[in-house]
Amino acid sequence: MLYRILTGDDSSAFCHKVTAALEKGWELYGSPSHAYDAQNNVMRCAQAVIKRDHAPYDPDARLGEQ
């Protein structure tokens, strides 16, 4: 099983990032997290995703490409 965390500003771009991962076979893992970044005055988001069916794990390849 592969595991990764997607992060980004609370924006439609973050939602598109999660949607793209789902389209590539990743599944949501747990609830999303939100935190306020006071230094940059923006909300930040994180969502863990997993992938059960994949080729053999390659630590040299980017997780998003596996």
Side-chain angles (χ1 to χ4, degrees):
M1 178 183 315
L2 299 176
Y3 173 89
R4 64 192 274 226
I5 295 181
L6 305 173
T7 60
D9 293 349
D10 187 8
S11 67
S12 62
F14 176 75
C15 293
H16 288 290
K17 182 188 286 191
V18 173
T19 299
L22 296 173
E23 286 290 316
K24 293 178 182 176
W26 293 85
E27 300 173 38
L28 299 177
Y29 185 78
S31 299
S33 297
H34 296 85
Y36 181 67
D37 179 349
Q39 184 175 359
N40 294 301
N41 194 33
V42 67
M43 288 296 291
R44 306 277 185 195
C45 299
Q47 174 65 59
V49 292
I50 59 171
K51 190 180 242 184
R52 298 175 196 276
D53 299 322
H54 59 86
Y57 174 65
D58 179 0
D60 295 323
R62 294 177 52 131
L63 284 172
E65 297 170 358
Q66 296 192 55

